[in-house]
Amino acid sequence: IYMYRYIDIRGKRQSVYAGDLKELREREALLADSFDGIDYDAGSISAIKLIEQTLSLKVGLCETTIENYQNVFKILQGYDIFYHPVKSIKKSDAENWIIQLYREGKKSSTIGRYLSVVSFAFDQACEDDLIRDSAKEYAADDKFGTVALTEEQQISFLSFIRNDPIFCKQYDAYNILLGTELRISEFIGLTVHDLDMQNCIIHVNHQLTLARDRTFHVTKPKSWHSIRDIYMSDSVYHSF
């Protein structure tokens, strides 16, 4: 009996047995296509390695954002699709993975978070001609993204909040959030020193975040792009 040992896509040692050398070489050749590649230029780098590398390019982010990316990366490590070379991943593979996520009970918002991380890596691979456009486009599909409310929908929503016996107490908060597009963490982190009521300006330079130990911390904004001044409309001014 002949034996061939190899390391599978998850880094575990495996063995293949055959009755003669010719049969063993044939089985070895079949396994070669599934090995995890390391040559990026040839497109044989695994998707999980590509994702890891591209996430390292995201610099200047706040601690909570980095932690969120790391958590998603750990979850992606549990799916076999990401251990295959990026050049071999097809649109149908991406579709089957998303179907699997739905069957596992994942919500659309959760799937959207996973896709945002995957699409960032696949964008780079597509630009380097390592994958087909179809696979990249499906990974970057925006159907799981956010959709802005129309002006009519905003008016209808605020009208409901104003007239509801429970939510009416939070009307000003909802009005400010809609009128400024502040993140929740940025809004609840505002102090009187951040509000220039004379010039109708909101200074955004920090946020209030909840740590894993359930304690609140004042941290830097999500990225340096988030440090900004926001003009108050008359409606937002009166809500403050």
Side-chain angles (χ1 to χ4, degrees), residues 162-226:
R162 184 192 294 274
N163 297 312
D164 186 86
I166 297 177
F167 291 109
C168 63
K169 297 178 181 179
Q170 283 80 41
Y171 172 81
D172 287 325
Y174 282 110
N175 187 50
I176 292 171
L177 288 170
L178 277 176
T180 61
E181 298 184 357
L182 285 166
R183 298 183 178 91
I184 294 293
S185 57
E186 295 171 341
F187 172 63
I188 63 176
L190 290 175
T191 68
V192 293
H193 302 292
D194 303 316
L195 304 177
D196 183 351
M197 303 304 290
Q198 182 175 356
N199 297 306
C200 299
I201 297 294
I202 305 170
H203 302 294
V204 182
N205 50 41
H206 63 272
Q207 61 181 346
L208 189 64
T209 58
L210 182 64
R212 286 191 172 184
D213 59 2
R214 312 306 294 175
T215 57
F216 286 96
H217 300 270
V218 176
T219 63
K220 295 179 180 180
K222 188 171 183 177
S223 69
W224 66 271
H225 293 287
S226 300

Side-chain angles (χ1 to χ4, degrees), residues 21-169:
L21 186 59
K22 180 181 179 181
E23 181 184 357
L24 182 67
R25 295 307 182 203
E26 290 175 349
R27 293 190 177 187
E28 180 182 345
L30 291 174
L31 287 169
D33 290 338
S34 63
F35 287 170
D36 184 21
I38 58 174
D39 184 2
Y40 183 87
D41 291 332
S44 57
I45 184 173
S46 67
I48 199 68
K49 187 66 177 178
L50 174 68
I51 293 171
E52 181 180 23
Q53 289 182 0
T54 51
L55 285 180
S56 68
L57 300 177
K58 288 182 172 289
V59 297
L61 303 178
C62 69
E63 183 177 344
T64 54
T65 301
I66 294 175
E67 185 176 306
N68 288 336
Y69 282 133
Q70 291 174 342
N71 289 337
V72 171
F73 179 71
K74 290 179 181 178
I75 293 171
L76 296 179
Q77 289 177 305
Y79 296 95
D80 288 345
I81 182 177
F82 298 111
Y83 290 88
H84 293 287
V86 291
K87 66 179 180 180
S88 70
I89 297 177
K90 304 180 293 294
K91 179 178 179 179
S92 59
D93 297 325
E95 292 174 339
N96 288 331
W97 173 59
I98 292 175
I99 291 173
Q100 179 184 353
L101 293 176
Y102 271 115
R103 288 175 176 172
E104 292 174 355
K106 299 293 192 299
K107 297 181 179 179
S108 293
S109 58
T110 300
I111 296 175
R113 288 195 298 114
Y114 296 173
L115 285 177
S116 67
V117 173
V118 174
S119 63
F120 179 69
F122 272 51
D123 280 340
Q124 176 174 321
C126 184
E127 291 174 1
D128 293 342
D129 295 325
L130 300 182
I131 61 173
R132 301 177 180 86
D133 289 343
S134 58
K136 174 260 180 181
E137 288 171 1
Y138 197 88
D141 199 326
D142 64 357
K143 66 181 178 181
F144 297 102
T146 56
V147 179
L149 296 176
T150 64
E151 184 176 354
E152 181 179 351
Q153 289 172 328
Q154 292 183 46
I155 294 174
S156 177
F157 174 74
L158 289 175
S159 176
F160 167 78
I161 296 296
R162 184 192 294 274
N163 297 312
D164 186 86
I166 297 177
F167 291 109
C168 63
K169 297 178 181 179

